Amino acid sequence: MAELTPLAISVLALLHERPMHAYEMYQLLLHRHNHKIVKIRPGSLYHTVERLAGQEFVRATGIERSGNRPERTTYELTDAGADALRGRVEIGLETYTYEFPLFPVVLAEAHNLDKDDAVLRLRRRIEELDRVIAEEDAAEAEVRARGVPEPYWLTLGYLRSQLAAERDWLTTTIERIESKDLPWHPRKKK
């Protein structure tokens, strides 16, 4: 079975709901704030749909044109696509896969900054994390108010927990730097 990218998983999941065209998929992913968990660009979305069609995970069901808008091809999920989606979700839930985000890389190189500069930038990151956590809390309040069942927004709690854990770890790390429990020895410039 071919590896499904995060965007391919999202496309198959949308088509599991109902047939739709790629622009509708794009708009729905943005409306649902999936851009926080999947990198969504119109070009990559169209390419992903074409690739999934080539793998026979989706198939075109028709072309529509409305006014001056370009033609839009509607796609539906095939049985093979439903099997691929289910299989990828099953494996993804049970198997840890290390991803390579930027923050651990720059954190590993923070010693290249002076202590005060590093602490200032970590404090700014904490402020940003607090802002994003507040956004996640507002999003959760909205879906709860609309009565959306929790399995559909389970990711909100996961993301919030990750953000809070990072914020708390950074707060402790700053305290350790300032108390000299974590000695700071920046590299000397040549």
Side-chain angles (χ1 to χ4, degrees), residues 95-101 104:
T95 307
Y96 177 80
T97 302
Y98 190 80
E99 298 170 19
F100 301 96

Side-chain angles (χ1 to χ4, degrees), residues 3-16:
E3 181 75 19
L4 294 175
T5 65
L7 185 55
I9 294 167
S10 296
V11 166
L12 293 176
L14 287 175
L15 294 176
H16 192 262

Side-chain angles (χ1 to χ4, degrees), residues 101-116:
L102 175 64
F103 185 62
V105 175
V106 296
L107 187 60
E109 299 304 327
H111 60 85
N112 287 293
L113 302 177
D114 291 331
K115 178 184 81 166
D116 293 339

Side-chain angles (χ1 to χ4, degrees), residues 63-104:
I63 298 175
E64 66 180 57
R65 184 183 206 73
S66 178
N68 291 335
R69 293 182 181 166
E71 288 183 343
R72 293 185 175 160
T73 303
T74 299
Y75 293 90
E76 69 180 0
L77 187 65
T78 64
D79 289 342
D83 290 345
L85 173 62
R86 186 174 34 264
R88 186 63 183 106
V89 170
E90 289 169 349
I91 290 170
L93 285 174
E94 67 188 22
T95 307
Y96 177 80
T97 302
Y98 190 80
E99 298 170 19
F100 301 96
L102 175 64
F103 185 62

Side-chain angles (χ1 to χ4, degrees), residues 121-138:
R121 292 172 193 287
L122 293 175
R123 285 190 195 283
R124 288 179 182 165
R125 185 173 183 96
I126 289 171
E127 289 172 5
E128 180 69 6
L129 288 168
D130 284 336
R131 185 191 64 73
V132 176
I133 289 169
E135 286 178 3
E136 296 299 321
D137 290 345

Side-chain angles (χ1 to χ4, degrees), residues 4-5 7-12 15 45-59 78 81 84:
L4 294 175
T5 65
L7 185 55
I9 294 167
S10 296
V11 166
L12 293 176
L15 294 176
L45 182 102
Y46 285 94
H47 176 73
T48 296
V49 171
E50 289 174 8
R51 189 170 41 81
L52 291 170
Q55 293 171 307
E56 298 182 356
F57 290 161
V58 304
R59 73 174 146 254
T78 64

